[in-house]
């Protein structure tokens, strides 16, 4: 495996596996503009497909919807009018890993001739960006998925195949006696991701993670960090972009996700280099407290999501000029949210350009190191102020650092932020809990 040449890479970024890359990599250059950070949602049910609803969807900052119907041409016409893309789930045979009972059986059920037949009857539409080919498959089905991916890419020249993977809390082969099924099809999650990279010739890796699921009350955040680490490093090793599905709704109907819950999920993901963020769910799909209720009316989540998406948009153009090369947990020493993370926390970060990056009050920061995609020598830090993911005691403090002989700018969700010169070459940028800030050095 050859890693990108960069002095910014850390020991923790070195691969643990030898990755056998697929012989042919599918580079998606279709209707989705991959030069920008795209924001999606799961589910727009028929009761929320009027023109007013779809305009509201676009106004909320949504680029695409997963689980749309290819035959709802009226809705697709409105999608096209408002610049929204559809990933349709009714065209080719679907496969869902579920509890793992069907692991390894996909090739006998979803044979390639069925995809050929589906393509023969497909009627294209300019709003259809992607073809959903399944969700959360076992690694035992990855070899067949590699063939399916190739097949769908060939049969649908204007669309990309969309496939989403399990999170790291899915069950593995050494589960307990009570867990009789294996979802991942491998002994570890790292191996699950390795097998995907070996078998599926995609230029992206998408997975879902719901860190505020009430079943993950204790371990949700730490597993989120570890899942980000595993997937982001696999993307770095194999040249893929990272896509992630996050939660805007709730497992517990009595609990609503807050603005800061959304910020924490989005900005930690961006600190690990996420280039595509999807929120679940906009209308009924699973769980409770969706963005729209069962009658298509806005809930309190609509304004929250619109606000956070606008913040992401403010950052996105500058952020996408850079690519992630490593991520660090600064100020996390002794933090219980590091329990499941196989990476050491550091007191402060020095990269050779930025020095002694930390919070002035010792608060934990998730810091992504990034380099300019065009190789012009400029670098960036994507910082998430990660001291209060559960929003129990939000604070305001400074991120401080030194960056000698560099032009420094700091961009937050509401625009450019003041970079204060504290003297002796030390700079400070004020942040609030769960805020994301992109600090560039040129």
């Amino acid at each position: 495996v050859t890693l990108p040449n960069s002095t910014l890479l850390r020991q923790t970024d070195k691969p643990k596996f030898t990755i056998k890359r697929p012989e042919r990599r599918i580079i998606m250059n279709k209707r989705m503009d991959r030069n920008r950070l795209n924001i999606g949602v799961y589910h727009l049910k028929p009761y929320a497909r009027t023109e007013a609803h779809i305009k509201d969807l676009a106004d909320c900052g949504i680029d695409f919807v997963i689980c749309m119907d290819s035959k709802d041409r009226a809705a697709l016409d409105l999608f096209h009018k408002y610049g929204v893309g559809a990933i349709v789930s009714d065209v080719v045979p679907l496969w869902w890993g579920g509890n793992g009972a069907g692991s390894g059986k996909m090739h006998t059920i979803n044979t390639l001739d069925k995809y050929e037949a589906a393509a023969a009857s497909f009627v294209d539409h300019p709003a259809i960006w992607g073809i959903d080919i399944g969700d959360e498959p076992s690694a035992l089905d990855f070899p067949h998925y590699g063939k399916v991916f190739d097949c769908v890419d060939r049969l649908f020249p204007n669309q990309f195949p969309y496939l989403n993977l399990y999170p790291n809390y899915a069950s593995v082969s050494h589960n307990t006696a009570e867990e009789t099924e294996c979802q991942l099809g491998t002994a570890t999650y790292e191996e699950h991701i390795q097998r995907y990279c070996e078998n599926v010739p995609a230029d992206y890796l998408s997975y879902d993670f719901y860190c505020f699921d009430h079943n993950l009350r204790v371990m949700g955040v730490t597993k989120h960090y570890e899942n980000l680490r595993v997937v982001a490093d696999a993307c770095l090793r194999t040249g893929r972009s990272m896509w992630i599905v996050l939660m805007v709704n709730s497992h517990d109907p009595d609990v609503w996700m807050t603005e800061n819950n959304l910020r924490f999920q989005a900005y930690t993901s961006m600190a690990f280099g996420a280039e595509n963020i999807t929120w679940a769910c906009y209308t009924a799909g699973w769980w409770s407290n969706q963005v729209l209720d069962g009658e298509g009316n806005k809930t309190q989540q609509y304004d929250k999501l619109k606000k956070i998406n606008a913040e992401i948009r403010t950052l996105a153009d500058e952020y996408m000029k850079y690519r992630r090369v490593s991520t660090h947990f600064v100020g996390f020493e002794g933090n219980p949210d590091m329990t499941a993370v196989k990476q050491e926390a550091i007191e402060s970060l020095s990269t050779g350009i930025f020095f002694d990056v930390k919070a002035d009050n010792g608060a934990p920061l998730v810091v992504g190191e990034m380099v300019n995609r065009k190789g012009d020598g400029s670098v960036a830090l994507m910082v998430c102020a990660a001291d209060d993911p559960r929003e129990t005691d939000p604070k305001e403090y400074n991120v401080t650092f030194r960056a000698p002989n560099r032009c420094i700018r700091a961009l937050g969700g509401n625009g450019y932020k003041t970079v204060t010169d504290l003297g002796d070459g030390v700079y400070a940028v004020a942040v609030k809990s769960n805020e994301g800030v992109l600090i560039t050095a040129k």
Side-chain angles (χ1 to χ4, degrees), residues 3-18:
L3 291 174
N5 292 325
S6 173
T7 57
L8 300 181
L9 290 174
R10 293 290 178 267
Q11 184 69 27
T12 53
D13 296 302
K14 292 184 178 179
K16 295 182 178 180
F17 301 102
T18 299

Side-chain angles (χ1 to χ4, degrees), residues 14-321:
K14 292 184 178 179
K16 295 182 178 180
F17 301 102
T18 299
I19 301 297
K20 179 183 176 182
R21 300 187 188 218
E23 291 182 3
R24 186 174 77 87
R25 293 292 300 283
I26 294 173
I27 306 299
M28 300 185 328
N29 184 20
K30 302 192 179 187
R31 287 174 176 154
M32 177 184 279
D33 181 0
R34 295 282 298 283
N35 292 313
R36 67 197 301 265
L37 188 154
N38 288 282
I39 301 174
V41 291
Y42 263 96
H43 291 294
L44 188 71
K45 294 295 187 182
Y47 57 76
R49 295 180 186 172
T50 68
E51 181 162 7
H53 282 117
I54 292 171
K55 182 180 184 301
D56 284 342
L57 181 81
D59 289 344
C60 192
I62 304 303
D63 294 307
F64 64 93
V65 177
I66 303 171
C67 294
M68 273 299 291
D69 307 320
S70 66
K71 296 179 178 62
D72 191 340
R73 311 309 273 192
L76 292 176
D77 288 345
L78 291 169
F79 270 41
H80 189 54
K81 177 178 178 179
Y82 290 101
V84 178
I87 297 176
V88 294
S89 301
D90 63 342
V91 173
V92 301
L94 283 179
W95 187 264
W96 177 47
N99 66 1
S103 295
K105 300 176 182 178
M106 181 188 172
H107 71 285
T108 66
I109 299 170
N110 288 1
T111 52
L112 295 182
D113 61 293
K114 294 181 179 180
Y115 297 87
E116 299 275 356
S121 61
F122 175 68
V123 180
D124 200 1
H125 189 286
I128 301 178
W129 290 6
I131 304 294
D132 190 353
I133 61 173
D135 189 41
E136 299 181 330
S138 166
L140 299 179
D141 293 303
F142 287 161
H144 187 60
Y145 256 118
K147 298 174 184 177
V148 168
F149 209 99
D150 273 322
C151 183
V152 171
D153 180 66
R154 172 177 56 83
L155 293 170
F156 300 88
N158 295 318
Q159 286 79 30
F160 65 89
Y162 175 71
L163 177 62
N164 185 65
L165 303 186
Y166 283 118
N168 63 2
Y169 47 88
S171 63
V172 296
S173 60
H174 54 73
N175 47 8
T176 68
E178 290 74 26
E179 296 174 316
T180 58
E181 307 291 354
C182 170
Q183 292 175 309
L184 295 180
T186 54
T188 66
Y189 188 73
E190 291 92 334
E191 185 183 352
H192 183 77
I193 296 301
Q194 177 196 7
R195 298 290 174 246
Y196 170 89
C197 293
E198 288 175 348
N199 288 282
V200 180
D203 72 337
Y204 71 93
L205 196 167
S206 176
Y207 77 102
D208 53 69
F209 196 101
Y210 308 124
C211 65
F212 298 111
D213 176 350
H214 71 231
N215 293 319
L216 296 172
R217 287 189 196 278
V218 176
M219 295 292 286
V221 172
T222 184
K223 282 184 171 289
H224 171 58
Y225 287 149
E226 175 63 2
N227 213 147
L228 284 168
R229 185 194 68 79
V230 170
V231 173
D233 286 354
C235 288
L236 177 65
R237 293 194 298 267
T238 62
R240 289 168 166 82
S241 67
M242 186 174 80
W243 297 9
I244 190 166
V245 183
L246 305 172
M247 62 189 301
V248 62
N249 64 356
S250 313
H251 202 165
D252 186 342
D254 295 325
V255 176
W256 293 78
M257 292 293 99
T258 67
E259 287 183 12
N260 267 350
N261 293 154
L262 303 186
R263 285 191 182 94
F264 171 78
Q265 294 177 86
Y267 295 139
T268 50
S269 300
M270 291 171 69
F272 277 87
E275 298 178 9
N276 188 310
I277 293 172
T278 298
W279 299 100
C281 293
Y282 193 81
T283 63
W286 56 88
W287 299 350
S288 305
N289 302 330
Q290 275 69 287
V291 178
L292 303 187
D293 66 19
E295 297 179 349
N297 301 311
K298 296 174 185 174
T299 70
Q300 60 180 276
Q301 297 308 91
Y302 180 86
D303 287 337
K304 296 175 190 175
L305 185 60
K306 182 177 181 179
K307 184 173 184 179
I308 302 318
N309 284 346
E311 291 182 11
I312 295 171
R313 290 268 179 248
T314 299
L315 287 160
D317 286 349
E318 189 68 18
Y319 169 84
M320 287 298 289
K321 293 178 182 177

